[in-house]
Amino acid sequence: MDFSSFLTSLGTSFVIFMVLMLLFAWLARKPGNSVIYYPNRILKGLDPYESGSRTRNPFAWIHEAMSSTEQDVISASGYDTAVYFVFLSTVLGILVLSGLVLLPVLLPVAATDNGVKIVSTTSNGTFSDLDKLSMGNVKEKSSRLWAFMLATYWVSFVTYFLLWKAYKHVSGLRADALMSPEVRAEQFSILVRDIPPVPEGQTRKEQVDSYFKRIYPESFYRSMVVTDNKVVNKLWEELQGYKKKLARAEAVYALSKKTGKPEGARPTNRIGFLGLIGKKVDSIEYYNEKINEVTPKLESEQKDTLREKQLDAALVFFSSRVAAASAAQSLHAQMRQVRQYVIYIVVALTILFFMIPIGLISALTTLENLKKYLPFLKPIVDLDAIKTVLEAYLPQLALIIFLALLPKLLYSLSKAEGIPSESHVVRAASGKYFYFIVLNVFVGVTVGGTLFSTFKSIQKKPDTLPDLLAAGLPLNATFFLTFVALRSFVGYGLELSRIVPLIIFHLRRKYLCKTEAEVKEAWRPGDLGYGTRGPNDMLIFTIVLCYSVIAPFIIPFGVVYFGLGWLILRNQALKVYVPTYESYGRMWPHMHTRILAALILYQVTMFGYFGVKKFYYAPFLLPTIILSLVFGFVCSKKFYRFFRDTALEVACRNLKETPNMEQVFRSYIPPSLSSEKIEDNQFEDAVSQVSRSTSFV
């Protein structure tokens, strides 16, 4: 990438961001768009413009976001969102404090060392001004490398300090949440797994009830035996689909009476593939027939599921938060280890084999390689305008699109492990995605791209590999610099403006939505998407951290990314996104671990890089790696237990009202196993054998 391409990438990304921000300010003031820009407030029954959001000042939202408190975020989007902002603030603080020292110290040290002539660069020799600001411009064995070693220690200690501070803060947030006087169903129940075989003469319910009544005679309420709901869920979803289609057909019929003949025109549809082929039928009659057909099947399957498809797990309910917390810590049921190990192997193989295409993408998306391996494109890519745009965006866009294919696969694999709750599945999928993208993107692009481009040189002279890596590592920072800039300006510009959801909503409302339920479904925003957003943010942090000493000029771009992220997502958390679950900060230990993993990767990278620079004092960096491991161990011992188990001193706080245990119990019955025709006294034993499809913690 030459200097003009770099400026093109940076400049156009910033211009796009400014255009999208002004577009947001204009569109958000229009009443017809309020469901896209203020759905959080609307769903809470609040006036979307009550805080002055309709002002003509296009930057008013910035003041609203910056002046909001942590309690405002908790009230709008819950504790998990507040914890996510602790993560953003922590990594932003790490980069800011690191940059305050690294930029004024390391840039002059690197720039004034002219003892090395860079023969090959990522920019074909025209990007040398930025190349000279990297550690690659410092000659081997130079005493100047001491500055970079001390900088490595500085970044490490800044990270330790801010991580410790953040862990204490999040622990306090979680304690506040769990001490709340509000009655929360999840604080009165526990999940028991791997129940032994039922003794002869007992049912599963009797087995569970007798066990817990004996241990907790005063506080045990009742139990639900977990069932396999796959078939009943499928039938229930089929029935709900027919009910929605019936409501839509009736709405179309009612509208036809107002706009056409008084008798109206009854809607019709074809019953073949996707409604495109097959017999044409009256929609209202057809969907009524399908509802009448599926309903008895569902009722029959509900009974079979409740009685015949019980698993070796149960939900147990207590009338006291203290009893539930105590029972959760006393019973340590193991996960299905064989299934879990199989999933880990599948994920490991996925990571391994995806490194091949990621490495190829990093190498083949350069213009020189495109012209070499796809010669028919040469006349096109040689045009100055196209060449500049392709150099500025092609590698970064290819990488972003490639990574977008993975999250659903990893989410499905996490569910296949047998994880019981939605929040835990998201945390597990997030962890897989983080290690996947760090190993594939950071390692694959940095090392794989360098080796691919210099493979012939290595074949001829294998002993030149360390030298090639020494020259290639700092120069790959230019690729990541433009990658971070693209994610900062274009990514967050699209996030703020919500152009894509806005267009989709208006198209669906005009052409597809016929009922109020369909309209609401079209604009309902969902949550922040921690499962993918967190790992992507961690990728940016890992990249910036690992290159912070090698090429310090990347730090400002990381600061811009997380600064914009904090600001724009603050606005979205207050006005747009609606959480789908609440785990009261259970995600933080995992975030802490991944930040620490990024730090250790950074320290290992620096240790190796000092080695290829032939700096004899490189072993002085080994204590930082040991310190990071010790720091992680101490944090785990001091803080993690409270995130895994609820402290009894927290659970014993008084509630503002006596919990309605029947309401708590029924909140765990999934819709697919609820039926108006099932009477409590008739299916007392069966109803108590229901499992909830998702849980909160």
Side-chain angles (χ1 to χ4, degrees):
M1 177 185 293
D2 59 30
F3 192 63
S4 64
S5 296
F6 170 73
L7 291 180
T8 298
S9 174
L10 189 60
T12 53
S13 296
F14 181 73
V15 169
I16 290 171
F17 172 75
M18 293 302 297
V19 169
L20 290 173
M21 186 171 66
L22 294 173
L23 199 60
F24 158 75
W26 176 58
L27 293 171
R29 294 201 302 266
K30 297 186 176 298
N33 298 334
S34 60
V35 292
I36 296 298
Y37 295 104
Y38 306 98
N40 184 298
R41 291 182 179 178
I42 291 172
L43 289 172
K44 286 182 169 63
L46 303 174
D47 179 3
Y49 304 108
E50 65 180 0
S51 61
S53 299
R54 212 168 178 174
T55 177
R56 292 183 177 275
N57 182 356
F59 304 106
W61 66 273
I62 297 177
H63 177 264
E64 292 177 42
M66 295 189 70
S67 61
S68 64
T69 64
E70 189 170 64
Q71 191 56 50
D72 293 332
V73 174
I74 292 172
S75 299
S77 292
Y79 284 90
D80 284 339
T81 304
V83 169
Y84 187 73
F85 281 104
V86 173
F87 159 73
L88 292 177
S89 302
T90 300
V91 296
L92 179 61
I94 292 170
L95 297 180
V96 169
L97 290 179
S98 299
L100 288 176
V101 172
L102 269 57
L103 290 171
V105 173
L106 298 187
L107 292 183
V109 171
T112 55
D113 191 344
N114 55 5
V116 175
K117 293 183 179 180
I118 301 176
V119 177
S120 173
T121 74
T122 54
S123 52
N124 298 321
T126 61
F127 211 18
S128 57
D129 289 340
L130 281 182
D131 293 339
K132 289 180 180 178
L133 298 178
S134 71
M135 189 176 169
N137 197 47
V138 179
K139 58 188 176 183
E140 296 176 354
K141 305 177 184 179
S142 172
S143 59
R144 292 172 181 247
L145 293 172
W146 275 109
F148 293 88
M149 176 168 285
L150 293 175
T152 305
Y153 269 92
W154 168 253
V155 173
S156 300
F157 284 117
V158 164
T159 305
Y160 300 146
F161 171 73
L162 292 180
L163 276 181
W164 183 270
K165 185 179 177 181
Y167 222 142
K168 288 182 64 177
H169 180 62
V170 175
S171 296
L173 284 178
R174 180 168 171 81
D176 291 341
L178 297 178
M179 288 189 296
S180 170
E182 300 289 336
V183 175
R184 294 179 172 130
E186 62 272 16
Q187 291 185 290
F188 294 88
S189 62
I190 66 169
L191 176 66
V192 182
R193 312 182 78 180
D194 299 322
I195 300 174
V198 181
E200 188 174 352
Q202 276 190 325
T203 64
R204 177 75 76 190
K205 179 187 184 310
E206 291 170 343
Q207 177 194 21
V208 175
D209 286 356
S210 62
Y211 179 82
F212 283 96
K213 280 179 182 177
R214 185 169 65 252
I215 302 175
Y216 302 95
E218 302 295 328
S219 56
F220 172 74
Y221 177 63
R222 64 195 293 188
S223 64
M224 289 183 179
V225 176
V226 174
T227 53
D228 181 356
N229 297 341
K230 290 180 182 178
V231 177
V232 74
N233 284 344
K234 185 177 180 180
L235 285 171
W236 184 82
E237 289 169 2
E238 183 181 357
L239 179 62
Q240 296 307 306
Y242 287 133
K243 287 181 177 180
K244 288 180 181 179
K245 291 177 180 178
L246 175 61
R248 176 186 174 84
E250 290 175 339
V252 171
Y253 182 45
L255 182 63
S256 71
K257 292 180 179 180
K258 297 178 182 178
T259 58
K261 296 179 181 180
E263 65 273 15
R266 293 181 70 86
T268 61
N269 65 280
R270 296 186 182 275
I271 60 176
F273 179 70
L274 297 177
L276 301 175
I277 58 174
K279 180 183 177 182
K280 183 179 287 188
V281 296
D282 182 291
S283 297
I284 295 176
E285 292 180 359
Y286 176 74
Y287 293 131
N288 271 314
E289 290 174 2
K290 298 303 290 185
I291 289 171
N292 293 333
E293 178 185 324
V294 174
T295 299
K297 291 182 181 179
L298 175 63
E299 292 172 355
S300 175
E301 183 59 36
Q302 285 176 334
K303 296 175 184 178
D304 288 343
T305 299
L306 292 170
R307 296 184 182 279
E308 307 297 335
K309 298 184 179 181
Q310 301 175 13
L311 304 177
D312 59 347
L315 286 163
V316 181
F317 295 85
F318 299 87
S319 58
S320 162
R321 290 198 300 189
V322 174
S326 177
Q329 297 176 44
S330 301
L331 298 172
H332 301 285
Q334 294 183 348
M335 302 261 306
R336 293 163 176 82
Q337 295 295 323
V338 173
R339 182 190 299 184
Q340 192 176 29
Y341 291 144
V342 169
I343 297 299
Y344 287 167
I345 293 171
V346 171
V347 172
L349 291 174
T350 304
I351 292 174
L352 177 64
F353 286 108
F354 259 70
M355 288 188 73
I356 298 171
I358 286 285
L360 290 174
I361 284 176
S362 67
L364 291 176
T365 50
T366 64
L367 289 188
E368 293 303 318
N369 284 330
L370 278 177
K371 289 188 288 186
K372 180 178 179 181
Y373 297 108
L374 301 174
F376 62 90
L377 293 177
K378 186 175 181 180
I380 300 175
V381 299
D382 280 341
L383 296 175
D384 289 341
I386 295 178
K387 177 182 178 181
T388 299
V389 172
L390 288 178
E391 283 191 331
Y393 290 111
L394 180 61
Q396 294 79 14
L397 285 175
L399 188 58
I400 290 171
I401 293 170
F402 199 76
L403 290 174
L405 304 174
L406 287 169
K408 287 188 177 181
L409 169 64
L410 298 177
Y411 182 84
S412 300
L413 290 173
S414 296
K415 290 188 72 173
E417 287 183 43
I419 296 174
S421 69
E422 180 71 13
S423 64
H424 193 171
V425 169
V426 171
R427 292 196 300 272
S430 175
K432 294 178 179 67
Y433 192 46
F434 164 69
Y435 291 110
F436 181 93
I437 60 177
V438 166
L439 289 173
N440 280 282
V441 177
F442 177 72
V443 177
V445 172
T446 302
V447 179
T450 301
L451 293 179
F452 190 91
S453 61
T454 57
F455 186 69
K456 290 185 178 179
S457 299
I458 298 171
Q459 276 185 319
K460 294 177 181 177
K461 296 182 179 180
D463 59 337
T464 62
L465 176 58
D467 296 330
L468 291 170
L469 286 176
L473 276 172
L475 298 176
N476 271 312
T478 58
F479 167 84
F480 286 122
L481 191 149
T482 52
F483 178 75
V484 173
L486 186 65
R487 292 290 293 267
S488 300
F489 294 124
V490 179
Y492 279 123
L494 290 171
E495 172 67 57
L496 177 66
S497 65
R498 288 180 61 78
I499 290 295
V500 175
L502 180 69
I503 294 172
I504 293 174
F505 165 69
H506 282 297
L507 289 175
R508 290 181 65 181
R509 185 177 66 173
K510 184 173 182 178
Y511 298 108
L512 300 177
C513 298
K514 302 299 181 182
T515 66
E516 286 300 317
E518 289 178 334
V519 173
K520 187 173 182 179
E521 185 179 347
W523 61 257
R524 193 170 183 86
D527 59 22
L528 270 169
Y530 306 111
T532 54
R533 191 182 296 276
N536 280 309
D537 288 345
M538 276 303 310
L539 172 64
I540 300 296
F541 176 69
T542 303
I543 290 169
V544 177
L545 188 69
C546 287
Y547 280 95
S548 60
V549 173
I550 294 175
F553 53 79
I554 201 174
I555 294 177
F557 290 86
V559 170
V560 169
Y561 176 85
F562 287 105
L564 279 178
W566 186 95
L567 185 65
I568 291 172
L569 293 179
R570 196 85 165 183
N571 178 80
Q572 308 301 73
L574 295 170
K575 302 173 184 176
V576 179
Y577 293 115
V578 178
T580 55
Y581 60 84
E582 178 65 83
S583 70
Y584 309 112
R586 279 289 299 274
M587 67 172 73
W588 175 254
H590 303 273
M591 289 180 167
H592 173 273
T593 300
R594 288 159 202 161
I595 295 174
L596 204 56
L599 179 67
I600 293 172
L601 180 59
Y602 153 74
Q603 292 164 341
V604 170
T605 300
M606 292 308 303
F607 176 75
Y609 192 65
F610 276 111
V612 298
K613 278 290 184 182
K614 299 179 181 178
F615 189 55
Y616 298 131
Y617 303 99
F620 283 5
L621 279 182
L622 289 176
T624 62
I625 301 173
I626 298 171
L627 276 174
S628 296
L629 296 172
V630 171
F631 177 79
F633 177 78
V634 172
C635 286
S636 177
K637 289 298 181 183
K638 180 172 177 61
F639 297 111
Y640 180 69
R641 178 72 186 273
F642 177 58
F643 285 81
R644 187 187 65 191
D645 303 315
T646 302
L648 298 184
E649 67 172 357
V650 170
C652 71
R653 300 302 176 97
N654 293 329
L655 296 168
K656 68 178 183 181
E657 61 182 353
T658 302
N660 183 336
M661 290 308 301
E662 186 62 22
Q663 184 177 346
V664 169
F665 171 81
R666 291 194 170 277
S667 69
Y668 278 81
I669 300 177
S672 62
L673 286 171
S674 298
S675 174
E676 297 175 358
K677 295 185 179 180
I678 295 181
E679 299 178 3
D680 286 352
N681 57 358
Q682 184 179 358
F683 295 105
E684 175 63 28
D685 181 72
V687 170
S688 67
Q689 298 166 6
V690 182
S691 71
R692 195 178 187 188
S693 58
T694 60
S695 61
F696 288 89
V697 295

